């Protein structure tokens, strides 16, 4: 027993390392995890005291636990059995496929990442690029919802900046869980987005098993009270118009609704811009008739460097106004037990359109398209007031001096972009930029009885 044993140095070091790892995993790591978990729980409790809609325990659950709960759910288990039978594969193979889908969908929310990093970056980025304007009743629309209800923000999709804007504006109310597409499944962006509570959805190649896993996750999140944000148009609007709402995610929420449990309240959100960052990319996609948004990283980096140079030389100008307005909420409990999905989608679309912001660039674009003659500088205020939508939409204030200053600011931005030019005290539309004018005018076109796109549709048919 007392015999000396000689070991090579490398083997001795390896044994010590194994012993250290074993000690840490059994004694040290659990204590450290417990210590930080307790601190995190206290921080979340303090955070919930100032949020209008506190973070629900479902959102704070460990990602591994949520994946296990999802793949062993009875509805998902039935879908696994059906998938195995239909595709003639063993059930364990179908189970592993469902597990991969669950790992792809389920986020790993971090309250620290969301509020200490994400919300602050969103605020800085939004206010650095735009003059952000909100509806007068935005806070009241959220506060009017039942405190125990699940809130789902339903938004039109104009730009990828929509995520940034709404994250910034809703940060005082709650942490939003976004449904994002394949564009965000790029490392390390995917890790950041998952830690912000977003969940990925596939736009293509969605089989029955994938749909079952996604649908069950959405229902579980809804039942758990998670505040969600969805873009039911199914992607960015390539022509600027508010498109018909697709019913995929809406159907998952409605079909899993139990009137005896938590209510679901949809908050319509209308977003509009003086300048959409991706406008020319979207116009090109619309002209081709596809949704391939091919932008090279070289072009993006060149644009960022150009903006940084403008900022460093004090020549930087913001991209005009970005407006976000919340419309009157729609409660599933108020609609009764038999909710018609088509009626719900139409109601939400109408409420988004009813409060659609009217920034000055889209308004001026419509004015130039409706009256292609040059507009005299002295007539600007009168012409813009006359061009305001008659009843719907969220219009800017109409105080004469403020109005004239904002109109001139918008025209100057359009002049810098080569959309208009000044000639002998008048403003003239540049004909070669007509597609750009229509893209912005389309964002408010539904607010008027006379559409500027009627002529386009007639020409397309002929």
């Amino acid at each position: 027993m007392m015999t000396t044993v000689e070991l090579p140095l490398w083997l001795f070091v390896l044994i010590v390392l194994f012993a250290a790892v074993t000690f840490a995993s059994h004694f040290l790591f659990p204590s450290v995890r417990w210590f930080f978990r307790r601190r995190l729980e206290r921080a979340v409790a303090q955070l919930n005291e100032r949020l209008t809609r506190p973070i629900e325990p479902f959102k704070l659950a460990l990602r591994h636990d949520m994946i296990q709960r999802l793949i062993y759910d009875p509805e998902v288990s039935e879908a696994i059995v059906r998938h195995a039978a239909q595709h003639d594969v063993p059930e364990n193979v179908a189970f592993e496929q469902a597990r991969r889908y669950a790992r792809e969908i389920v986020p790993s929310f971090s309250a620290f990442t969301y509020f200490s990093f994400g919300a602050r970056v969103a605020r800085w980025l939004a206010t650095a690029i735009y003059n952000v304007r909100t509806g007068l009743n935005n806070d009241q629309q959220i506060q009017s919802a039942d405190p125990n209800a699940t809130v789902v923000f339903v938004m039109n999709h104009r730009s990828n900046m929509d995520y940034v804007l709404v994250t910034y504006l809703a940060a005082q109310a709650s942490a939003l869980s976004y449904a994002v597409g394949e564009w965000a499944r790029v490392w390390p962006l995917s890790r950041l987005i998952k830690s912000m509570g977003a969940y990925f959805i596939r736009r293509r190649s969605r089989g029955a098993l994938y749909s079952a896993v996604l649908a069950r996750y959405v229902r579980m999140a809804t039942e758990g009270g998670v505040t969600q944000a969805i873009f039911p148009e199914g992607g960015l609007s390539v022509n600027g118009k508010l498109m018909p709402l697709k019913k995929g995610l809406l159907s998952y929420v409605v079909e899993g609704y139990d009137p005896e449990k938590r209510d679901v309240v949809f908050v319509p959100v209308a977003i509009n811009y003086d300048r959409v960052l991706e406008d020319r990319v979207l116009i090109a996609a619309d002209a081709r008739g596809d949704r391939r948004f091919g932008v090279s990283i070289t072009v993006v980096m060149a644009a960022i460097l150009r903006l940084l140079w403008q900022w460093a030389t004090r020549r930087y100008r913001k991209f005009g106004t970005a407006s976000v307005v919340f419309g009157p909420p729609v409660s599933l409990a108020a609609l009764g037990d038999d909710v018609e999905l088509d009626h719900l989608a139409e109601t939400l679309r109408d409420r988004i359109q009813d409060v659609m912001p009217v920034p000055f660039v889209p308004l001026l674009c419509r004015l130039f398209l409706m009256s292609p003659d040059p507009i005299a500088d002295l007539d600007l205020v009168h012409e813009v007031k006359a061009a305001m939508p008659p009843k719907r939409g969220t219009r800017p204030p109409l105080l004469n001096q403020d109005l004239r200053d904002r109109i001139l600011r918008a025209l100057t931005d359009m002049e810098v972009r080569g959309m208009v030019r000044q000639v002998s005290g008048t403003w003239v539309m540049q004909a070669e930029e007509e597609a750009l004018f229509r893209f912005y005018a389309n964002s408010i076109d539904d607010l008027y009885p006379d559409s500027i796109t009627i002529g386009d549709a007639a020409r397309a048919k002929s």
Side-chain angles (χ1 to χ4, degrees):
M1 294 293 293
M2 303 298 294
T3 304
T4 302
V5 178
E6 295 185 3
L7 294 174
L9 179 61
W10 66 267
L11 183 57
F12 175 74
V13 171
L14 191 62
I15 292 173
V16 170
L17 286 176
F18 274 122
V21 170
T22 302
F23 173 79
S25 63
H26 283 79
F27 299 100
L28 182 59
F29 290 166
S31 301
V32 171
R33 283 197 298 267
W34 176 84
F35 173 76
F36 283 108
R37 185 75 181 176
R38 288 293 301 272
R39 294 198 64 177
L40 177 62
E41 289 173 354
R42 286 197 295 269
V44 170
Q46 294 174 0
L47 178 64
N48 280 339
E49 291 178 0
R50 68 173 179 82
L51 293 177
T52 306
R53 310 196 69 81
I55 303 171
E56 295 287 343
F58 178 94
K59 199 173 181 69
L60 298 171
L62 294 177
R63 181 168 181 265
H64 175 268
D65 296 342
M66 185 52 58
I67 291 172
Q68 294 297 103
R69 179 180 168 189
L70 180 58
I71 60 178
Y72 285 104
D73 184 86
E75 291 185 22
V76 175
S77 297
E78 292 176 8
I80 290 172
V81 172
R82 289 195 301 269
H83 179 83
Q86 291 172 2
H87 294 81
D88 194 23
V89 297
E91 288 188 11
N92 64 323
V93 173
F95 179 84
E96 288 303 319
Q97 184 67 55
R99 187 195 297 272
R100 284 194 293 272
Y101 290 151
R103 290 177 60 84
E104 180 181 302
I105 294 168
V106 175
S108 53
F109 175 74
S110 164
F112 174 82
T113 302
Y114 190 97
F115 289 99
S116 297
F117 176 76
R120 291 181 180 180
V121 170
R123 177 175 183 171
W124 173 82
L125 189 60
T127 55
I129 297 178
Y130 294 105
N131 298 310
V132 180
R133 296 185 180 272
T134 60
L136 296 177
N137 299 320
N138 278 11
D139 291 339
Q140 290 87 335
Q141 302 293 13
I142 299 177
Q143 292 169 0
S144 66
D146 180 353
N148 296 317
T150 297
V151 170
V152 180
F153 291 91
V154 181
M155 304 174 285
N156 67 307
H157 206 2
R158 295 279 287 144
S159 168
N160 285 310
M161 277 296 296
D162 297 345
Y163 297 97
V164 177
L165 276 173
V166 179
T167 297
Y168 155 47
L169 294 176
Q172 297 301 316
S174 186
L176 299 183
S177 179
Y178 284 101
V180 298
E182 291 93 333
W183 64 267
R185 293 175 58 191
V186 180
W187 189 92
L189 182 61
S190 60
R191 295 293 298 272
L192 174 62
I193 288 177
K194 276 186 175 289
S195 67
M196 292 282 288
Y199 59 97
F200 297 126
I201 58 173
R202 297 185 180 189
R203 303 293 185 188
R204 305 176 184 87
S205 304
R206 289 171 55 170
L209 180 57
Y210 176 84
S211 297
V213 176
L214 175 61
R216 188 62 192 125
Y217 173 76
V218 173
R219 289 177 192 140
M220 289 167 63
T222 304
E223 293 166 2
V226 175
T227 303
Q228 302 172 53
I230 61 177
F231 298 96
E233 288 176 283
L236 292 172
S237 174
V238 294
N239 60 10
K241 293 182 70 68
L242 175 60
M243 309 305 291
L245 305 191
K246 295 184 178 180
K247 307 174 188 69
L249 288 177
L250 288 177
S251 69
Y252 298 156
V253 174
V254 172
E255 290 169 6
Y257 172 63
D258 185 349
E260 301 298 323
K261 296 182 180 179
R262 188 191 300 265
D263 188 16
V264 178
V265 176
F266 295 98
V267 177
V269 181
I271 307 172
N272 210 353
Y273 299 87
D274 271 330
R275 180 175 177 181
V276 173
L277 300 181
E278 313 90 332
D279 51 11
R280 296 189 187 275
V281 174
L282 297 171
I283 291 169
D286 186 43
R288 292 192 307 266
D290 61 36
R291 300 191 63 84
R292 295 195 305 272
F293 307 136
V295 180
S296 68
I297 188 64
T298 306
V299 174
V300 174
M301 291 305 300
I304 293 174
L305 290 174
R306 185 166 57 253
L307 292 175
L308 289 175
W309 174 251
Q310 291 174 358
W311 178 78
T313 56
R314 299 186 178 183
R315 293 184 294 112
Y316 174 73
R317 290 176 61 90
K318 291 187 179 183
F319 289 1
T321 297
S323 300
V324 183
V325 182
F326 298 169
V330 178
S331 164
L332 280 186
L335 294 179
D337 295 342
D338 189 15
V339 178
E340 293 185 5
L341 195 57
D342 290 339
H343 174 69
L344 175 63
E346 291 175 4
T347 300
L348 291 172
R349 187 189 185 281
D350 288 344
R351 294 199 180 187
I352 292 173
Q353 193 65 74
D354 283 342
V355 296
M356 182 62 66
V358 185
F360 282 100
V361 168
L363 186 63
L364 288 165
C365 285
R366 178 181 173 85
L367 179 58
F368 277 107
L369 289 171
M370 296 294 288
S371 305
D373 296 332
I375 300 175
D377 191 72
L378 296 175
D379 296 336
L380 281 175
V381 172
H382 171 73
E383 293 282 358
V384 168
K385 280 187 174 182
M388 289 285 180
K391 295 180 180 179
R392 306 169 72 193
T394 301
R395 293 170 288 281
L398 300 179
L399 298 175
N400 275 5
Q401 187 54 48
D402 177 62
L403 181 60
R404 179 171 177 79
D405 291 344
R406 292 178 63 185
I407 294 170
L408 288 175
R409 196 178 307 134
L411 282 168
T412 302
D413 291 340
M414 295 170 71
E415 185 179 29
V416 170
R417 300 195 69 194
M419 297 173 67
V420 298
R421 59 190 174 92
Q422 262 190 302
V423 179
S424 302
T426 65
W427 294 89
V428 181
M429 168 183 166
Q430 297 291 81
E432 62 271 18
E433 296 290 359
E434 181 178 344
L436 201 57
F437 275 80
R438 292 195 178 276
F439 175 81
Y440 285 101
N442 278 344
S443 67
I444 59 173
D445 191 50
D446 287 345
L447 302 178
Y448 297 85
D450 50 340
S451 172
I452 61 168
T453 60
I454 292 177
D456 294 341
R459 284 193 296 272
K461 290 180 180 178
S462 62

